[in-house]
Amino acid sequence: MATRRDFLAFGGAAAAAALLPRKAFATTATGVRLHGLSAFGDLKYKPDFTHFDYVNPDAPKGGHMNFAPPNATLNQSFLTFNTLNSLVLKGDSPPRTELCFDSLMTSALDEPDAVYGLLAESVTLSADRNGFRFILRPQARFNDGSPLTAEDVVFALKLYKEKGHPNLSQALRYMTDAVAVDPMTVDLSFNGKQSAQNILAVVNMPIVSKPFYAANTFDASTLTPPLGSGPYKMGRVVAGQTVEYERVADYWGRDLAVNRGVNNFDRIRIDFYLDRQAAFEAFKKGDTHFREEFTARVWATGYDFPALIGGKVVKREFPGEKTPDMQAVALNQRRPQFQDIRVRRAIANCFDFEWIQRVLFFGSYERSQSNFERSDYKAEGLPSPGELALLEPFRAELPPETFGEAVMQPASDGSGHDRKLLGGASRLLAEAGWKRSGSFVLNDKGERLKVELLAEDDGLVRIFTPWAENMKAIGIDASIRQVDSTQYERRQSDFDFDFNMLHWSIGATPTVDSLEMLYSSRMAKTPGQRNYPGTESPAIDALIVAAGKAGSRNELVTALRALDRVLRARLDWIPSWYLANHRVAYWDMFGFPDQKPDFGFPVETLWWFDKGKAAKIGKA
C-alpha cells in the first residue's frame, strides 16, 4: 500500500495539488460559538429556528406503531437479536436502539451534510480548525434523572475509540484527545489528518453514561437495557422475537427545536420473523402496521388481501432519497480464483438482469451501473480534466477502461441464456487459464473454479438461481448456500464467503470513514468492515484521501466520480439493481408531513398516530 507521502512523491503536479491538505471547515468561522456545522457552505437554519421545515411541529403525541424497519446500522439485525448492545461488533442487536441515546448534535434531513446542536447548545472551532469546544445544555439528563455531563461525553468517545464497533472506532482514529474542561464543557482535539466530514460522524455518536458502565461491562453481549438519555427507552423485550421502545414522557430534550414535531409515538414495537413470508402475513393481519416492500413479486401480486381491498391498508410509493445508492455483489479476492479481473467479468456476464427484470422483478427495478447510483457522484462519459489529474499517476496500475467512457455492465437479450454474453464469459475464463474439461473448467492444477453464492433468505435464492445456472453453463461449479441470519452476519464479518451481496447507502456527503469502510486497503483485513471484495489498491486509497481533502462540493464530486470509474473498471463490485422510490404499505392510522425530506425517511420518528383514522379501521 502506498502512503500519502509516497503518492505525492511520484504523482503528477496537478494530482499533488488536488491532494494538498486543506483546513477542515475552511469557510466556517473560528473562535465563535456556532449552533450548527456543515462541511460545505452555509447552514439552512438560523440560530433562532423553531423546528425543521419537514416536520409537523404540532404533531400529536400518543398511540403506537408496530414497525418493520427497512434499514439498520452497526451490529443490528432484521431477523433476530441476542443482545441489546449495538455499540460493539459482538452479537446481533435489534434495530433502533439509537432512539434511546442522544448525541452532541443531530442531522437535518433536508440538508446533505448539516448538523445542529442536541446535547451541545454550541460548538466553537479552534484557530487551526483541529479543535472543537462543545458547551453542553445544562438540562441534559439520562433517563434515570442523573445529569449528563462532559465526563460522560469524554468517557463515551474514548471508549468507542478503544472498544467500540469498528464503524465507531474508525471514525475516531483521528481524535487525539477528549477533555472535560468543566461539567458542561468538552474539548475534542484532532491530528489534522481528518476530513471536514469526520466531525459530522463523531457528533452523531450516542453518548452513554460513565457510571452505568462502571457497573456494567461495555463490550458484553447482554439483554440488560442500557441507560440512555434519548426520547425512548427499552420497554418489553422478548429475546429474538420482540422489542418495544417506550417514549420517555419527561424527556429532557422534548422542547428543543431539533426535536419539535418528532418522536411522536408512545410505543414503537418491532417483531422479528425468520422469513419474509411470515413477516408479510403478520402485516396482512394487522400485527405489523408499517412495511416497506423489497420483493418485487409480492409488490406486484401479493397486495390483494381483504384489509387493502377494504381500504384499511394503503399501498403507495414515496420518493427515494437524494443519496448515493449501492447494491452490488462482491467476489472475495482474498480467494485466489477471484483475483483475476477476467474471472470477475465472466461471472458478471452470467447475470442476466433483463431476464430477471422481466420475470422476477415485474419491471420495477433499474439496472445499477455504479456504486453511487442516484447521485452526482456517478461517473458519466469520458473523464473530466479534474478526474484525469487524479487518475493519471496510477495509469500503470489501473485497467485501461478507467480512462475511457465510464464502464457499463453488458445488457443481455433477455432470454435468460444470452449465448453472446456466455460465449464471451467462456473466452474470458480461457484467457485466465481456466480450461473446459467435461462439465467444468479447471486450472493448471486440475482444480475446478468453484463459486458459492451466500444468501440469507428465499428472495435472494430465487434471484441467485438463474445467475448460478448460467455460471454452470460455462463450466463454473456454482452453488447457493442459504444460512440463518446469525451465521450470515458472522460469515460476512469474518470474510468467509465467495460471493456476497450488499445494499448500502453512504450518505449525501460521503465521509472518508464510510468510503474507507467499503473500499480502502486498510479495511481489507479488518473484520466487521464492508470491504467484502478485499480491495487493496493504492489508486483507490489515494482517491479516498482526495475526497477527504475536498474543499468544496465540486471537488468532492470530482474525486468520487474518479473513484467510481476505478471501481467500475476493476469490477471490485458487480453492480446489480436499484429502486428509485420507497414502496410502502401501512394501515391507515397515521398522519405524516406533506413533504418528505430529501435525505431520510424515518417514519417511526416523523409520523404520528391519528386517533380518528385508527378508530375508523378498528385500530384505536
Side-chain angles (χ1 to χ4, degrees):
M1 169 182 173
T3 65
R4 182 169 172 273
R5 179 176 297 172
D6 295 332
F7 171 68
L8 292 178
F10 62 71
L19 289 179
L20 286 174
R22 292 179 172 84
K23 292 293 186 182
F25 295 95
T27 61
T28 303
T30 62
V32 298
R33 290 189 178 187
L34 306 169
H35 70 294
L37 292 171
S38 175
F40 306 117
D42 296 329
L43 295 167
K44 173 180 177 179
Y45 295 98
K46 303 303 180 185
D48 59 350
F49 82 101
T50 59
H51 60 84
F52 292 131
D53 289 346
Y54 54 83
V55 306
N56 172 8
D58 301 316
K61 307 294 185 184
H64 59 284
M65 171 183 268
N66 300 351
F67 170 64
N71 48 42
T73 186
L74 300 176
N75 69 352
Q76 296 173 357
S77 170
F78 298 109
L79 301 181
T80 188
F81 68 96
N82 49 38
T83 180
L84 299 179
N85 184 1
S86 64
L87 302 174
V88 295
L89 181 60
K90 181 167 52 178
D92 298 309
S93 69
R96 301 306 179 267
T97 55
E98 61 271 21
L99 294 174
C100 299
F101 299 98
D102 280 326
S103 51
L104 287 169
M105 308 183 85
T106 190
S107 300
L109 299 181
D110 54 353
E111 297 177 85
D113 60 14
V115 292
Y116 296 87
L118 179 50
L119 288 170
E121 64 181 16
S122 71
V123 57
T124 304
L125 276 68
S126 65
D128 66 1
R129 303 179 189 273
N130 290 325
F132 299 82
R133 170 163 286 187
F134 296 90
I135 306 298
L136 304 184
R137 300 184 192 273
Q139 68 269 38
R141 293 287 185 275
F142 287 102
N143 291 331
D144 65 353
S146 61
L148 190 155
T149 70
E151 290 285 350
D152 297 298
V153 176
V154 169
F155 170 79
L157 297 182
K158 288 185 174 180
L159 186 64
Y160 298 155
K161 185 174 181 178
E162 179 186 358
K163 297 182 178 180
H165 189 282
N167 290 8
L168 301 174
S169 62
Q170 292 302 317
L172 289 163
R173 69 188 183 279
Y174 305 110
M175 187 182 77
T176 56
D177 204 1
V179 177
V181 178
D182 61 44
M184 293 291 102
T185 306
V186 178
D187 281 354
L188 302 184
S189 302
F190 294 80
N191 61 13
K193 297 179 181 179
Q194 78 282 359
S195 68
Q197 301 98 306
N198 177 252
I199 189 65
L200 305 183
V202 173
V203 299
N204 269 297
M205 291 182 180
I207 301 304
V208 297
S209 164
K210 181 178 180 180
F212 179 83
Y213 283 109
N216 296 272
T217 303
F218 169 70
D219 54 0
S221 182
T222 176
L223 292 174
T224 299
L227 176 61
S229 61
Y232 287 88
K233 62 182 179 181
M234 290 287 178
R236 187 170 72 95
V237 174
V238 181
Q241 299 180 31
T242 299
V243 61
E244 292 183 352
Y245 299 100
E246 297 177 352
R247 189 168 63 86
V248 178
D250 59 350
Y251 168 50
W252 74 270
R254 61 187 180 276
D255 295 324
L256 298 178
V258 294
N259 284 330
R260 194 159 293 135
V262 300
N263 306 316
N264 302 311
F265 295 105
D266 280 348
R267 187 182 75 250
I268 298 171
R269 191 181 88 194
I270 300 173
D271 294 320
F272 295 78
Y273 299 91
L274 292 179
D275 63 69
R276 293 187 182 188
Q277 187 57 41
F280 185 45
E281 293 300 323
F283 174 74
K284 289 160 64 175
K285 292 189 298 183
D287 293 340
T288 303
H289 301 146
F290 174 94
R291 170 185 173 89
E292 185 162 357
E293 185 57 67
F294 295 102
T295 303
R297 174 184 56 82
V298 175
W299 185 252
T301 65
Y303 284 81
D304 57 356
F305 50 93
L308 188 138
I309 295 170
K312 294 182 177 182
V313 169
V314 177
K315 176 191 177 191
R316 61 167 291 183
E317 296 189 10
F318 288 86
E321 284 69 66
K322 296 179 179 179
T323 54
D325 186 84
M326 168 188 169
Q327 181 152 306
V329 162
L331 290 168
N332 190 352
Q333 295 171 44
R334 300 168 189 85
R335 300 185 172 173
Q337 66 265 38
F338 305 124
Q339 291 173 2
D340 192 312
I341 191 173
R342 292 168 295 189
V343 172
R344 302 198 294 275
R345 285 176 177 164
I347 292 173
N349 272 20
C350 294
F351 177 51
D352 193 331
F353 172 78
E354 285 68 27
W355 183 88
I356 290 174
Q357 165 79 324
R358 175 172 55 85
V359 177
L360 300 181
F361 287 167
F362 295 85
S364 60
Y365 287 93
E366 302 292 334
R367 179 66 193 267
S368 181
Q369 298 289 349
S370 164
N371 285 23
F372 304 108
E373 283 292 351
R374 303 191 316 190
S375 78
D376 292 339
Y377 310 131
K378 178 180 178 180
E380 303 278 3
L382 293 169
S384 69
E387 292 169 51
L388 285 173
L390 295 172
L391 295 169
E392 281 292 351
F394 298 97
R395 184 176 282 272
E397 175 200 332
L398 296 172
E401 294 85 353
T402 308
F403 299 89
E405 296 277 342
V407 171
M408 303 289 284
Q409 292 302 302
S412 77
D413 61 11
S415 67
H417 191 82
D418 187 315
R419 297 182 64 176
K420 182 179 178 180
L421 286 182
L422 295 181
S426 293
R427 288 189 292 274
L428 286 166
L429 292 182
E431 292 171 11
W434 295 91
K435 306 302 182 184
R436 189 73 179 242
S437 176
S439 298
F440 301 103
V441 292
L442 309 177
N443 62 14
D444 56 7
K445 297 179 182 179
E447 300 167 331
R448 295 180 186 177
L449 175 54
K450 294 184 177 182
V451 180
E452 181 185 84
L453 291 72
L454 188 64
E456 68 171 331
D457 62 51
D458 294 338
L460 277 181
V461 171
R462 188 165 53 251
I463 294 166
F464 286 170
T465 296
W467 200 341
E469 290 302 317
N470 276 341
M471 289 188 218
K472 292 177 183 177
I474 62 170
I476 297 175
D477 186 0
S479 61
I480 299 173
R481 172 67 63 88
Q482 184 175 358
V483 298
D484 62 37
S485 175
T486 300
Q487 186 178 358
Y488 187 80
E489 292 296 330
R490 180 185 58 76
R491 290 186 62 173
Q492 284 189 130
S493 294
D494 294 342
F495 306 130
D496 180 19
F497 58 84
D498 293 340
F499 173 115
N500 187 38
M501 177 168 280
L502 177 68
H503 183 209
W504 199 257
S505 177
I506 57 176
T509 304
T511 66
V512 168
D513 308 298
S514 61
L515 294 169
E516 286 190 333
M517 176 176 59
L518 290 162
Y519 310 124
S520 81
S521 301
R522 193 164 55 87
M523 295 306 176
K525 297 180 175 66
T526 305
Q529 293 300 296
R530 306 291 182 175
N531 184 346
Y532 292 152
T535 302
E536 296 187 70
S537 162
I540 288 176
D541 294 340
L543 291 170
I544 292 172
V545 172
K549 296 301 181 183
S552 68
R553 188 163 291 279
N554 283 340
E555 291 179 2
L556 179 65
V557 167
T558 297
L560 292 183
R561 285 180 178 174
L563 175 60
D564 189 38
R565 291 182 187 279
V566 173
L567 293 170
R568 290 161 68 174
R570 284 173 49 101
L571 207 63
D572 287 282
W573 298 83
I574 301 172
S576 55
W577 61 85
Y578 71 95
L579 189 64
N581 296 322
H582 294 281
R583 299 180 303 206
V584 305
Y586 54 89
W587 286 73
D588 193 12
M589 52 193 282
F590 304 116
F592 47 83
D594 293 334
Q595 188 69 35
K596 174 193 165 295
D598 287 338
F599 301 106
F601 190 45
V603 297
E604 69 277 21
T605 58
L606 291 183
W607 290 19
W608 60 89
F609 185 79
D610 187 313
K611 291 182 178 179
K613 288 183 176 180
K616 289 181 180 179
I617 64 171
K619 290 286 186 180

